[in-house]
mmCIF file of all heavy atoms in Angstrom:
data_model
loop_
_atom_site.group_PDB
_atom_site.id
_atom_site.type_symbol
_atom_site.label_atom_id
_atom_site.label_comp_id
_atom_site.label_asym_id
_atom_site.label_seq_id
_atom_site.Cartn_x
_atom_site.Cartn_y
_atom_site.Cartn_z
ATOM 1 N N ASN T 1 10.520 -15.731 41.573
ATOM 2 C CA ASN T 1 10.489 -17.144 41.205
ATOM 3 C C ASN T 1 11.982 -17.546 40.884
ATOM 4 O O ASN T 1 12.464 -17.065 39.817
ATOM 5 C CB ASN T 1 9.592 -17.434 40.060
ATOM 6 C CG ASN T 1 9.401 -18.860 39.643
ATOM 7 O OD1 ASN T 1 10.354 -19.667 39.854
ATOM 8 N ND2 ASN T 1 8.225 -19.239 39.153
ATOM 9 N N LEU T 2 12.546 -18.445 41.650
ATOM 10 C CA LEU T 2 13.970 -18.796 41.398
ATOM 11 C C LEU T 2 14.190 -19.468 40.064
ATOM 12 O O LEU T 2 15.253 -19.511 39.581
ATOM 13 C CB LEU T 2 14.533 -19.518 42.567
ATOM 14 C CG LEU T 2 14.596 -18.808 43.984
ATOM 15 C CD1 LEU T 2 15.039 -19.776 45.066
ATOM 16 C CD2 LEU T 2 15.379 -17.542 43.826
ATOM 17 N N SER T 3 13.127 -20.061 39.528
ATOM 18 C CA SER T 3 13.241 -20.818 38.271
ATOM 19 C C SER T 3 13.175 -19.926 37.051
ATOM 20 O O SER T 3 13.304 -20.353 35.912
ATOM 21 C CB SER T 3 12.135 -21.877 38.166
ATOM 22 O OG SER T 3 12.257 -22.762 39.171
ATOM 23 N N LEU T 4 12.755 -18.634 37.248
ATOM 24 C CA LEU T 4 12.427 -17.706 36.221
ATOM 25 C C LEU T 4 13.558 -16.719 35.997
ATOM 26 O O LEU T 4 13.995 -16.088 36.874
ATOM 27 C CB LEU T 4 11.185 -16.956 36.556
ATOM 28 C CG LEU T 4 10.701 -15.813 35.596
ATOM 29 C CD1 LEU T 4 10.353 -16.360 34.199
ATOM 30 C CD2 LEU T 4 9.505 -15.146 36.159
ATOM 31 N N VAL T 5 13.932 -16.540 34.759
ATOM 32 C CA VAL T 5 14.916 -15.506 34.308
ATOM 33 C C VAL T 5 14.181 -14.717 33.202
ATOM 34 O O VAL T 5 13.863 -15.264 32.143
ATOM 35 C CB VAL T 5 16.239 -16.065 33.747
ATOM 36 C CG1 VAL T 5 17.110 -14.989 33.308
ATOM 37 C CG2 VAL T 5 16.872 -16.875 34.834
ATOM 38 N N LEU T 6 14.003 -13.302 33.451
ATOM 39 C CA LEU T 6 13.513 -12.519 32.418
ATOM 40 C C LEU T 6 14.519 -12.115 31.506
ATOM 41 O O LEU T 6 15.704 -11.760 31.895
ATOM 42 C CB LEU T 6 12.883 -11.201 33.098
ATOM 43 C CG LEU T 6 11.729 -11.407 34.119
ATOM 44 C CD1 LEU T 6 11.310 -10.056 34.738
ATOM 45 C CD2 LEU T 6 10.616 -12.078 33.500
ATOM 46 N N VAL T 7 14.268 -12.134 30.245
ATOM 47 C CA VAL T 7 15.255 -11.871 29.154
ATOM 48 C C VAL T 7 14.939 -10.576 28.491
ATOM 49 O O VAL T 7 13.924 -10.505 27.741
ATOM 50 C CB VAL T 7 15.426 -13.016 28.115
ATOM 51 C CG1 VAL T 7 16.359 -12.655 27.022
ATOM 52 C CG2 VAL T 7 15.719 -14.306 28.755
ATOM 53 N N GLY T 8 15.641 -9.511 28.738
ATOM 54 C CA GLY T 8 15.286 -8.214 28.144
ATOM 55 C C GLY T 8 14.034 -7.676 28.807
ATOM 56 O O GLY T 8 13.545 -8.063 29.868
ATOM 57 N N LYS T 9 13.610 -6.596 28.233
ATOM 58 C CA LYS T 9 12.447 -5.806 28.747
ATOM 59 C C LYS T 9 11.181 -6.285 27.948
ATOM 60 O O LYS T 9 11.262 -6.823 26.858
ATOM 61 C CB LYS T 9 12.558 -4.339 28.505
ATOM 62 C CG LYS T 9 13.635 -3.728 29.403
ATOM 63 C CD LYS T 9 13.715 -2.265 29.278
ATOM 64 C CE LYS T 9 14.850 -1.696 30.197
ATOM 65 N NZ LYS T 9 14.879 -0.314 30.154
ATOM 66 N N ILE T 10 9.979 -5.997 28.479
ATOM 67 C CA ILE T 10 8.780 -6.439 27.840
ATOM 68 C C ILE T 10 8.614 -5.519 26.620
ATOM 69 O O ILE T 10 9.035 -4.345 26.581
ATOM 70 C CB ILE T 10 7.608 -6.287 28.802
ATOM 71 C CG1 ILE T 10 6.373 -7.033 28.202
ATOM 72 C CG2 ILE T 10 7.218 -4.789 29.094
ATOM 73 C CD1 ILE T 10 5.435 -7.435 29.279
ATOM 74 N N GLU T 11 8.115 -6.137 25.539
ATOM 75 C CA GLU T 11 7.912 -5.361 24.256
ATOM 76 C C GLU T 11 6.461 -5.348 23.907
ATOM 77 O O GLU T 11 5.728 -6.171 24.373
ATOM 78 C CB GLU T 11 8.737 -6.159 23.112
ATOM 79 C CG GLU T 11 10.214 -6.133 23.353
ATOM 80 C CD GLU T 11 10.973 -7.091 22.369
ATOM 81 O OE1 GLU T 11 10.254 -7.526 21.403
ATOM 82 O OE2 GLU T 11 12.146 -7.177 22.503
ATOM 83 N N GLU T 12 6.043 -4.355 23.068
ATOM 84 C CA GLU T 12 4.788 -4.291 22.664
ATOM 85 C C GLU T 12 4.668 -4.459 21.146
ATOM 86 O O GLU T 12 5.561 -4.026 20.442
ATOM 87 C CB GLU T 12 4.093 -2.956 23.083
ATOM 88 C CG GLU T 12 4.886 -1.714 22.682
ATOM 89 C CD GLU T 12 4.505 -0.505 23.393
ATOM 90 O OE1 GLU T 12 3.629 -0.450 24.250
ATOM 91 O OE2 GLU T 12 5.044 0.590 22.977
ATOM 92 N N GLN T 13 3.520 -5.028 20.674
ATOM 93 C CA GLN T 13 3.370 -5.232 19.241
ATOM 94 C C GLN T 13 1.833 -4.851 18.900
ATOM 95 O O GLN T 13 0.920 -5.266 19.641
ATOM 96 C CB GLN T 13 3.456 -6.661 18.848
ATOM 97 C CG GLN T 13 4.928 -7.105 18.756
ATOM 98 C CD GLN T 13 4.932 -8.566 18.240
ATOM 99 O OE1 GLN T 13 3.994 -9.274 18.081
ATOM 100 N NE2 GLN T 13 6.228 -9.049 18.104
ATOM 101 N N GLY T 14 1.762 -4.102 18.021
ATOM 102 C CA GLY T 14 0.397 -3.563 17.505
ATOM 103 C C GLY T 14 0.479 -2.396 16.569
ATOM 104 O O GLY T 14 1.655 -2.008 16.242
ATOM 105 N N LYS T 15 -0.590 -1.804 16.297
ATOM 106 C CA LYS T 15 -0.593 -0.626 15.457
ATOM 107 C C LYS T 15 -0.476 0.619 16.337
ATOM 108 O O LYS T 15 -1.497 1.056 16.876
ATOM 109 C CB LYS T 15 -1.846 -0.558 14.569
ATOM 110 C CG LYS T 15 -1.866 0.586 13.556
ATOM 111 C CD LYS T 15 -3.077 0.618 12.757
ATOM 112 C CE LYS T 15 -2.980 1.822 11.858
ATOM 113 N NZ LYS T 15 -4.277 2.243 11.301
ATOM 114 N N LEU T 16 0.757 1.112 16.414
ATOM 115 C CA LEU T 16 0.983 2.317 17.295
ATOM 116 C C LEU T 16 0.376 3.575 16.649
ATOM 117 O O LEU T 16 0.605 3.806 15.416
ATOM 118 C CB LEU T 16 2.423 2.570 17.434
ATOM 119 C CG LEU T 16 2.858 3.593 18.448
ATOM 120 C CD1 LEU T 16 2.393 3.386 19.799
ATOM 121 C CD2 LEU T 16 4.375 3.848 18.360
ATOM 122 N N ILE T 17 -0.313 4.378 17.446
ATOM 123 C CA ILE T 17 -0.964 5.588 16.893
ATOM 124 C C ILE T 17 -0.208 6.690 17.659
ATOM 125 O O ILE T 17 -0.119 6.649 18.886
ATOM 126 C CB ILE T 17 -2.431 5.642 17.230
ATOM 127 C CG1 ILE T 17 -3.213 4.450 16.649
ATOM 128 C CG2 ILE T 17 -3.004 6.989 16.834
ATOM 129 C CD1 ILE T 17 -4.562 4.320 17.068
ATOM 130 N N THR T 18 0.247 7.646 16.852
ATOM 131 C CA THR T 18 0.983 8.803 17.477
ATOM 132 C C THR T 18 0.235 10.061 16.949
ATOM 133 O O THR T 18 0.106 10.227 15.775
ATOM 134 C CB THR T 18 2.397 8.787 16.964
ATOM 135 O OG1 THR T 18 3.136 7.631 17.377
ATOM 136 C CG2 THR T 18 3.200 10.057 17.521
ATOM 137 N N GLU T 19 -0.193 10.875 17.931
ATOM 138 C CA GLU T 19 -0.915 12.109 17.555
ATOM 139 C C GLU T 19 -0.959 13.056 18.792
ATOM 140 O O GLU T 19 -0.591 12.714 19.857
ATOM 141 C CB GLU T 19 -2.324 11.782 17.107
ATOM 142 C CG GLU T 19 -3.176 11.197 18.163
ATOM 143 C CD GLU T 19 -4.622 10.845 17.684
ATOM 144 O OE1 GLU T 19 -4.733 10.733 16.413
ATOM 145 O OE2 GLU T 19 -5.546 10.607 18.486
ATOM 146 N N THR T 20 -1.418 14.276 18.544
ATOM 147 C CA THR T 20 -1.728 15.185 19.659
ATOM 148 C C THR T 20 -3.102 15.014 20.099
ATOM 149 O O THR T 20 -3.979 14.613 19.358
ATOM 150 C CB THR T 20 -1.437 16.660 19.132
ATOM 151 O OG1 THR T 20 -2.304 16.869 18.060
ATOM 152 C CG2 THR T 20 0.064 16.892 18.739
ATOM 153 N N MET T 21 -3.251 15.301 21.389
ATOM 154 C CA MET T 21 -4.545 15.189 22.114
ATOM 155 C C MET T 21 -4.760 16.424 22.835
ATOM 156 O O MET T 21 -3.821 16.987 23.466
ATOM 157 C CB MET T 21 -4.689 13.960 22.945
ATOM 158 C CG MET T 21 -4.772 12.665 22.358
ATOM 159 S SD MET T 21 -5.117 11.455 23.656
ATOM 160 C CE MET T 21 -5.524 10.041 22.626
ATOM 161 N N GLU T 22 -6.014 16.894 22.795
ATOM 162 C CA GLU T 22 -6.424 18.045 23.535
ATOM 163 C C GLU T 22 -6.167 17.880 24.977
ATOM 164 O O GLU T 22 -6.429 16.808 25.607
ATOM 165 C CB GLU T 22 -7.907 18.406 23.379
ATOM 166 C CG GLU T 22 -8.345 19.644 23.930
ATOM 167 C CD GLU T 22 -9.763 19.991 23.606
ATOM 168 O OE1 GLU T 22 -10.310 19.579 22.591
ATOM 169 O OE2 GLU T 22 -10.418 20.728 24.470
ATOM 170 N N GLY T 23 -5.462 18.854 25.647
ATOM 171 C CA GLY T 23 -5.209 18.753 27.161
ATOM 172 C C GLY T 23 -3.821 18.100 27.424
ATOM 173 O O GLY T 23 -3.504 17.981 28.581
ATOM 174 N N ILE T 24 -3.177 17.581 26.469
ATOM 175 C CA ILE T 24 -1.902 16.899 26.659
ATOM 176 C C ILE T 24 -0.784 17.684 25.826
ATOM 177 O O ILE T 24 -0.990 17.823 24.702
ATOM 178 C CB ILE T 24 -1.881 15.428 26.337
ATOM 179 C CG1 ILE T 24 -3.030 14.662 27.156
ATOM 180 C CG2 ILE T 24 -0.563 14.778 26.626
ATOM 181 C CD1 ILE T 24 -3.132 13.213 26.789
ATOM 182 N N GLU T 25 0.223 17.899 26.509
ATOM 183 C CA GLU T 25 1.316 18.650 25.866
ATOM 184 C C GLU T 25 2.159 17.677 25.070
ATOM 185 O O GLU T 25 2.604 16.658 25.613
ATOM 186 C CB GLU T 25 2.208 19.401 26.876
ATOM 187 C CG GLU T 25 3.008 20.531 26.417
ATOM 188 C CD GLU T 25 3.670 21.280 27.487
ATOM 189 O OE1 GLU T 25 2.937 21.785 28.337
ATOM 190 O OE2 GLU T 25 4.909 21.301 27.520
ATOM 191 N N GLY T 26 2.405 17.972 23.764
ATOM 192 C CA GLY T 26 3.241 17.066 22.989
ATOM 193 C C GLY T 26 2.442 15.923 22.409
ATOM 194 O O GLY T 26 1.298 15.710 22.698
ATOM 195 N N LYS T 27 3.075 15.183 21.484
ATOM 196 C CA LYS T 27 2.430 14.064 20.849
ATOM 197 C C LYS T 27 2.486 12.805 21.845
ATOM 198 O O LYS T 27 3.395 12.676 22.500
ATOM 199 C CB LYS T 27 3.228 13.650 19.628
ATOM 200 C CG LYS T 27 3.009 14.611 18.507
ATOM 201 C CD LYS T 27 3.658 14.176 17.182
ATOM 202 C CE LYS T 27 3.394 15.156 16.109
ATOM 203 N NZ LYS T 27 3.898 14.705 14.730
ATOM 204 N N VAL T 28 1.372 12.036 21.806
ATOM 205 C CA VAL T 28 1.265 10.931 22.535
ATOM 206 C C VAL T 28 1.257 9.574 21.725
ATOM 207 O O VAL T 28 0.905 9.665 20.595
ATOM 208 C CB VAL T 28 -0.001 10.862 23.439
ATOM 209 C CG1 VAL T 28 0.181 11.966 24.607
ATOM 210 C CG2 VAL T 28 -1.247 11.096 22.707
ATOM 211 N N ASN T 29 1.588 8.514 22.269
ATOM 212 C CA ASN T 29 1.587 7.181 21.671
ATOM 213 C C ASN T 29 0.578 6.205 22.351
ATOM 214 O O ASN T 29 0.747 6.139 23.532
ATOM 215 C CB ASN T 29 3.026 6.513 21.726
ATOM 216 C CG ASN T 29 3.949 7.482 20.981
ATOM 217 O OD1 ASN T 29 3.811 7.943 19.938
ATOM 218 N ND2 ASN T 29 5.087 7.799 21.758
ATOM 219 N N TYR T 30 -0.212 5.622 21.667
ATOM 220 C CA TYR T 30 -1.178 4.715 22.232
ATOM 221 C C TYR T 30 -1.655 3.632 21.234
ATOM 222 O O TYR T 30 -1.331 3.685 20.041
ATOM 223 C CB TYR T 30 -2.418 5.502 22.843
ATOM 224 C CG TYR T 30 -3.209 6.157 21.754
ATOM 225 C CD1 TYR T 30 -4.317 5.484 21.169
ATOM 226 C CD2 TYR T 30 -2.963 7.462 21.347
ATOM 227 C CE1 TYR T 30 -5.084 6.169 20.225
ATOM 228 C CE2 TYR T 30 -3.800 8.088 20.491
ATOM 229 C CZ TYR T 30 -4.782 7.509 19.892
ATOM 230 O OH TYR T 30 -5.499 8.086 19.001
ATOM 231 N N TYR T 31 -2.429 2.662 21.734
ATOM 232 C CA TYR T 31 -2.919 1.587 20.931
ATOM 233 C C TYR T 31 -4.519 1.578 21.116
ATOM 234 O O TYR T 31 -5.027 1.719 22.205
ATOM 235 C CB TYR T 31 -2.362 0.224 21.333
ATOM 236 C CG TYR T 31 -0.936 0.086 21.128
ATOM 237 C CD1 TYR T 31 0.034 0.387 22.052
ATOM 238 C CD2 TYR T 31 -0.553 -0.376 19.838
ATOM 239 C CE1 TYR T 31 1.385 0.272 21.784
ATOM 240 C CE2 TYR T 31 0.906 -0.485 19.641
ATOM 241 C CZ TYR T 31 1.724 -0.092 20.553
ATOM 242 O OH TYR T 31 3.113 -0.300 20.311
ATOM 243 N N SER T 32 -5.183 1.277 20.028
ATOM 244 C CA SER T 32 -6.616 1.041 20.060
ATOM 245 C C SER T 32 -6.880 -0.399 19.535
ATOM 246 O O SER T 32 -5.935 -0.916 18.900
ATOM 247 C CB SER T 32 -7.322 1.993 19.173
ATOM 248 O OG SER T 32 -7.277 3.318 19.658
ATOM 249 N N ASN T 33 -8.056 -0.900 19.760
ATOM 250 C CA ASN T 33 -8.445 -2.232 19.287
ATOM 251 C C ASN T 33 -7.733 -3.419 19.988
ATOM 252 O O ASN T 33 -8.241 -4.122 20.691
ATOM 253 C CB ASN T 33 -8.407 -2.330 17.760
ATOM 254 C CG ASN T 33 -9.151 -1.307 17.040
ATOM 255 O OD1 ASN T 33 -10.288 -1.065 17.487
ATOM 256 N ND2 ASN T 33 -8.700 -0.805 16.034
ATOM 257 N N GLU T 34 -6.356 -3.476 19.654
ATOM 258 C CA GLU T 34 -5.632 -4.624 20.291
ATOM 259 C C GLU T 34 -4.174 -4.334 20.350
ATOM 260 O O GLU T 34 -3.621 -3.492 19.547
ATOM 261 C CB GLU T 34 -5.883 -5.894 19.499
ATOM 262 C CG GLU T 34 -5.399 -5.858 18.107
ATOM 263 C CD GLU T 34 -5.823 -7.138 17.323
ATOM 264 O OE1 GLU T 34 -6.604 -7.912 17.798
ATOM 265 O OE2 GLU T 34 -5.385 -7.309 16.180
ATOM 266 N N VAL T 35 -3.421 -5.003 21.165
ATOM 267 C CA VAL T 35 -1.975 -4.909 21.414
ATOM 268 C C VAL T 35 -1.539 -6.166 22.120
ATOM 269 O O VAL T 35 -2.298 -6.761 22.831
ATOM 270 C CB VAL T 35 -1.644 -3.601 22.122
ATOM 271 C CG1 VAL T 35 -2.202 -3.536 23.577
ATOM 272 C CG2 VAL T 35 -0.081 -3.437 22.149
ATOM 273 N N LYS T 36 -0.363 -6.521 21.850
ATOM 274 C CA LYS T 36 0.316 -7.686 22.555
ATOM 275 C C LYS T 36 1.489 -7.093 23.294
ATOM 276 O O LYS T 36 2.248 -6.364 22.679
ATOM 277 C CB LYS T 36 0.749 -8.798 21.559
ATOM 278 C CG LYS T 36 -0.340 -9.468 20.907
ATOM 279 C CD LYS T 36 0.236 -10.556 19.899
ATOM 280 C CE LYS T 36 -0.919 -11.227 19.260
ATOM 281 N NZ LYS T 36 -0.499 -12.368 18.511
#
């Protein structure tokens, strides 16, 4: 869209959860319930 200029990268807002999960190596980051 020639009228559109994106400013920076998309950002996320919400309660970030960081933890280990079975079957995944290392800690993971995710959102439950809601995120913007």
Side-chain angles (χ1 to χ4, degrees):
N1 184 331
L2 298 178
S3 300
L4 172 66
V5 176
L6 301 177
V7 179
K9 294 183 178 184
I10 197 153
E11 299 174 3
E12 54 193 4
Q13 286 183 356
K15 184 179 179 200
L16 183 66
I17 300 167
T18 301
E19 65 183 17
T20 57
M21 285 187 170
E22 187 175 331
I24 300 176
E25 199 172 303
K27 289 186 177 183
V28 292
N29 302 308
Y30 64 91
Y31 294 93
S32 293
N33 301 321
E34 62 185 11
V35 60
K36 291 181 181 188

